[in-house]
Amino acid sequence: MHIQTRTLQKSDYHDLKETMIEVYSGIGGDYWPKSSITKLLNIFPEGQFCVEVDGKAVAIALAIRVKYDDFGDNHTYYEITGGYTFKTHNDEGDYLYGIEVFVHPDYRDLRLGRRLYDARKELCEQLNLKGILAGGRIPSYNKYADELTPREYISKVKQKEIYDSTLTFQLSNDFHVRKVLRGYLPGDSESKEYATLLEWINIYYVAEKDKKPHTDSIIRLGVIQWQMRLFKNLNAFLEQVEFFVNAVSDYRADFMVLPEFFNTPLMADFNDLPEPVAIRKLADFTEPVRDKLCELAIAYNVNIVGGSMPLVDEDGKLYNVAYLCRRDGSFEEYRKIHITPNEVKHYGMVGGYEIRAFDTDCGKIGMLICYDVEFPELGRILAQQGMQILFVPFLTDTQNGYSRVRHCAQARAIENECYVAISGCVGNLPRVQNMDINYAQSAVFTPSDFQFPTNAVKAEATANTEMVLIADVDLSLLKELHEHGSVQVLKDRRTDLYDVTLKKAAKKALKQKKASPDNDPEEVAPVIVVAD
């Protein structure tokens, strides 16, 4: 599945019509004629959005820009749209007025409406508008009209005593009810022709034209400090994962990062087996967990760095793999390069061969797993590829092991002029060999200069306590640092004397791995081959 939020195009009309008929079947199945959509796209193309799923537009948001004082709070849908002609649109308007939002019923479990609202909010900030206004239907009001006034009904929806598919969603997206409108949409029997005048306020709006509005350079991170605990089964484990995804999504996080080997509680059922066998049994869960993380990334609109998990590749070798599950439905993988002596001794793991920064909708990121961050060459190569945020899932059992990861991660942030987020496991895990104790203090580190905290720590968790760490990082500060910092580490390197380079490209490395045993990690530390 591939999901994309984009501006609506004229070629999307067939999908729009089909979706509108499905959505409004309860009130006659009305839909906008093609001429109206064409006019909207001609006068305000940047204000019309859709969410495309596998090539089909299944969620649509239509809007105009208005000078709201020309209408005031007492208006109807007919009036605000200029008799459905959109002649009320004004390129100098101070509010974005939403005239339609609808999602095809078959896709409502993907939470696509939130993406449309987020797109509108971003446009509002870019255009430096005061906010967003919309007349919202209250389709469940007809069930309560005999006992509740519209005001009482809205109050109960706010208090979550009543669920209204439209109003509940709008309130959860930071809109507030400004007024109750009468006769807003004639013929809307479900709402008894009432509507709520909803408003979202752009807190970045500035009246002075010479001031810059807010930009999208601020990225919100959700770092999970994961408590090791036993689970009844895979579903119980995934429920705990979804709890954290939901939590960071409520804070509108752009990224969520989980720790290294966060799924090892699932090894409890294999504790009677030798450790090399048990870890390969655990690897059977990796693909289903990865698929679930991809689903959650879509449903909750957050990019997920899925910690790390064991993976048995087609070559029969065991790798330690971290996944980037983007919120557009795509995913990438990174295989731990440097395998610890413990991973070799107990599991027979081997190292990966590819060092690569990944593109996301929030800039370029890198992933290094635990021990990898102790090798400065990897961070430097990623920085040369444009990395802005480095995610480091880790798992350490002792405080001195944690200190190595922490201090090296801080060094990577300073020397590569980037942000680094580390996420670890805490607590004890009985009945799982070699994973019984854990120590962590997850954190977000920054470069060290005037733009950043004096200790170069943006945020840090309480040691050995399960929690969620929410932190905002500003990518524009990295550019400022690179150009005007007190010291400019990346610029001041003496490349006439030294450099850090990849010896071979990833594809070539993989071919070399298969062709030449001299470059195989097996020659460094023998792999333990286990038969079931």
Side-chain angles (χ1 to χ4, degrees):
M1 179 182 293
H2 184 269
I3 296 181
Q4 178 187 9
T5 303
R6 59 172 175 79
T7 52
L8 192 70
Q9 304 298 315
K10 293 177 182 178
S11 58
D12 296 317
Y13 180 73
H14 178 269
D15 292 341
L16 180 149
K17 178 180 176 181
E18 176 186 325
T19 300
M20 276 199 80
I21 292 173
E22 285 287 334
V23 170
Y24 293 130
S25 59
I27 55 173
D30 288 340
Y31 59 89
W32 286 104
K34 189 172 185 178
S35 58
S36 296
I37 300 303
T38 300
K39 183 172 184 180
L40 257 184
L41 291 172
N42 287 336
I43 64 175
F44 191 33
E46 65 269 36
Q48 322 311 321
F49 295 100
C50 74
V51 179
E52 174 186 297
V53 178
D54 293 336
K56 181 178 181 180
V58 298
I60 291 95
L62 309 177
I64 55 176
R65 185 172 173 175
V66 298
K67 276 198 172 181
Y68 192 66
D69 286 344
D70 293 344
F71 301 94
D73 288 345
N74 293 307
H75 62 266
T76 65
Y77 189 74
Y78 184 86
E79 291 168 342
I80 200 70
T81 59
Y84 314 129
T85 65
F86 312 124
K87 63 183 180 182
T88 48
H89 172 76
N90 187 328
D91 288 334
E92 301 300 317
D94 53 359
Y95 273 90
L96 190 72
Y97 198 99
I99 56 178
E100 286 282 3
V101 172
F102 46 90
V103 179
H104 195 289
D106 293 345
Y107 296 86
R108 284 178 179 163
D109 60 338
L110 297 179
R111 295 178 172 86
L112 303 182
R114 179 182 293 185
R115 294 174 183 248
L116 294 173
Y117 273 62
D118 287 346
R120 276 183 174 175
K121 292 172 184 176
E122 291 174 9
L123 177 65
C124 192
E125 292 170 0
Q126 291 167 10
L127 297 177
N128 193 33
L129 303 181
K130 291 181 179 179
I132 304 171
L133 290 166
R137 299 176 62 238
I138 43 177
S140 295
Y141 180 58
N142 64 95
K143 302 174 185 176
Y144 303 90
D146 293 338
E147 53 186 285
L148 298 174
T149 66
R151 182 185 296 273
E152 291 170 337
Y153 175 81
I154 292 169
S155 177
K156 287 187 176 293
V157 174
K158 286 182 179 178
Q159 295 167 10
K160 303 191 185 303
E161 295 178 23
I162 294 176
Y163 174 81
D164 184 284
S165 58
T166 301
L167 181 56
T168 298
F169 171 75
Q170 291 160 331
L171 293 175
S172 69
N173 279 274
D174 301 322
F175 281 75
H176 70 273
V177 178
R178 182 162 165 168
K179 194 178 186 299
V180 175
L181 301 173
R182 297 173 181 268
Y184 182 74
L185 193 63
D188 184 4
S189 57
E190 290 182 329
S191 305
K192 296 294 184 181
E193 296 189 0
Y194 286 102
T196 55
L197 178 60
L198 296 143
E199 181 179 24
W200 176 81
I201 299 171
N202 177 17
I203 62 173
Y204 299 108
Y205 169 77
V206 286
E208 299 88 345
K209 292 183 179 179
D210 58 341
K211 287 187 178 180
K212 291 183 179 179
H214 173 66
T215 66
D216 60 356
S217 66
I218 297 176
I219 307 303
R220 180 159 293 174
L221 310 181
V223 181
I224 308 304
Q225 187 153 283
W226 175 271
Q227 174 76 43
M228 288 295 205
R229 54 168 67 82
L230 297 177
F231 295 94
K232 292 181 180 179
N233 49 42
L234 176 61
N235 287 337
F237 167 80
L238 294 175
E239 285 177 4
Q240 184 67 21
V241 173
E242 184 167 5
F243 163 78
F244 283 116
V245 179
N246 188 19
V248 300
S249 177
D250 284 344
Y251 287 96
R252 296 181 65 186
D254 297 293
F255 288 98
M256 167 182 160
V257 55
L258 288 158
E260 180 183 25
F261 286 145
F262 72 107
N263 68 333
T264 49
L266 298 174
M267 285 179 69
D269 289 343
F270 315 123
N271 204 39
D272 58 326
L273 301 174
E275 290 170 357
V277 180
I279 196 73
R280 287 171 177 264
K281 290 287 188 182
L282 179 64
D284 291 340
F285 293 112
T286 294
E287 187 172 334
V289 173
R290 181 204 65 200
D291 292 346
K292 183 63 176 180
L293 290 176
C294 289
E295 291 177 17
L296 295 174
I298 294 170
Y300 289 93
N301 195 25
V302 58
N303 299 300
I304 299 175
V305 177
S308 83
M309 298 177 281
L311 175 72
V312 178
D313 203 354
E314 295 175 356
D315 58 10
K317 295 175 184 175
L318 184 67
Y319 296 88
N320 187 347
V321 180
Y323 291 100
L324 165 64
C325 301
R326 298 188 185 93
R327 50 187 164 192
D328 67 0
S330 62
F331 72 88
E332 306 276 2
E333 71 171 37
Y334 166 76
R335 300 185 179 189
K336 188 174 183 178
I337 301 292
H338 298 94
I339 304 303
T340 63
N342 186 69
E343 289 172 299
V344 175
K345 176 182 177 182
H346 293 280
Y347 302 134
M349 282 188 165
V350 298
Y353 280 82
E354 186 172 18
I355 308 167
R356 182 163 65 96
F358 300 103
D359 290 313
T360 73
D361 58 356
C362 299
K364 278 204 171 187
I365 68 126
M367 295 187 290
L368 296 177
I369 301 174
C370 198
Y371 194 32
D372 280 341
V373 81
E374 298 175 31
F375 296 83
E377 297 88 349
L378 301 189
R380 177 52 47 84
I381 290 168
L382 291 172
Q384 290 171 345
Q385 295 176 3
M387 172 196 65
Q388 296 163 296
I389 307 174
L390 175 62
F391 293 99
V392 183
F394 73 93
L395 183 145
T396 51
D397 56 349
T398 63
Q399 195 165 356
N400 59 335
Y402 164 72
S403 294
R404 289 195 298 269
V405 171
R406 179 189 177 98
H407 294 310
C408 289
Q410 286 190 281
R412 302 297 85 83
I414 293 169
E415 68 197 16
N416 296 308
E417 298 178 351
C418 67
Y419 296 103
V420 179
I422 65 172
S423 171
C425 296
V426 300
N428 304 319
L429 190 58
R431 293 176 47 206
V432 177
Q433 296 181 40
N434 204 39
M435 295 288 175
D436 47 354
I437 60 173
N438 301 275
Y439 182 93
Q441 185 177 21
S442 303
V444 177
F445 303 123
T446 73
S448 184
D449 212 328
F450 297 117
Q451 301 95 326
F452 308 98
T454 54
N455 63 352
V457 179
K458 178 66 178 179
E460 58 186 346
T462 302
N464 271 7
T465 301
E466 183 171 62
M467 63 183 296
V468 178
L469 193 64
I470 303 293
D472 286 348
V473 296
D474 190 343
L475 300 185
S476 67
L477 296 182
L478 300 180
K479 183 177 181 180
E480 182 180 339
L481 172 69
H482 184 68
E483 298 296 332
H484 308 293
S486 300
V487 295
Q488 299 170 29
V489 178
L490 290 179
K491 280 188 173 182
D492 291 341
R493 289 176 297 136
R494 288 288 305 274
T495 53
D496 60 320
L497 297 177
Y498 59 84
D499 208 347
V500 178
T501 59
L502 279 169
K503 287 189 173 180
K504 44 185 169 283
K507 289 183 179 179
K508 183 178 178 182
L510 289 174
K511 290 179 181 178
Q512 184 79 10
K513 179 188 72 167
K514 293 177 180 178
S516 174
D518 294 335
N519 290 305
D520 199 309
E522 289 179 292
E523 297 302 307
V524 178
V527 173
I528 301 173
V529 180
V530 179
D532 290 339

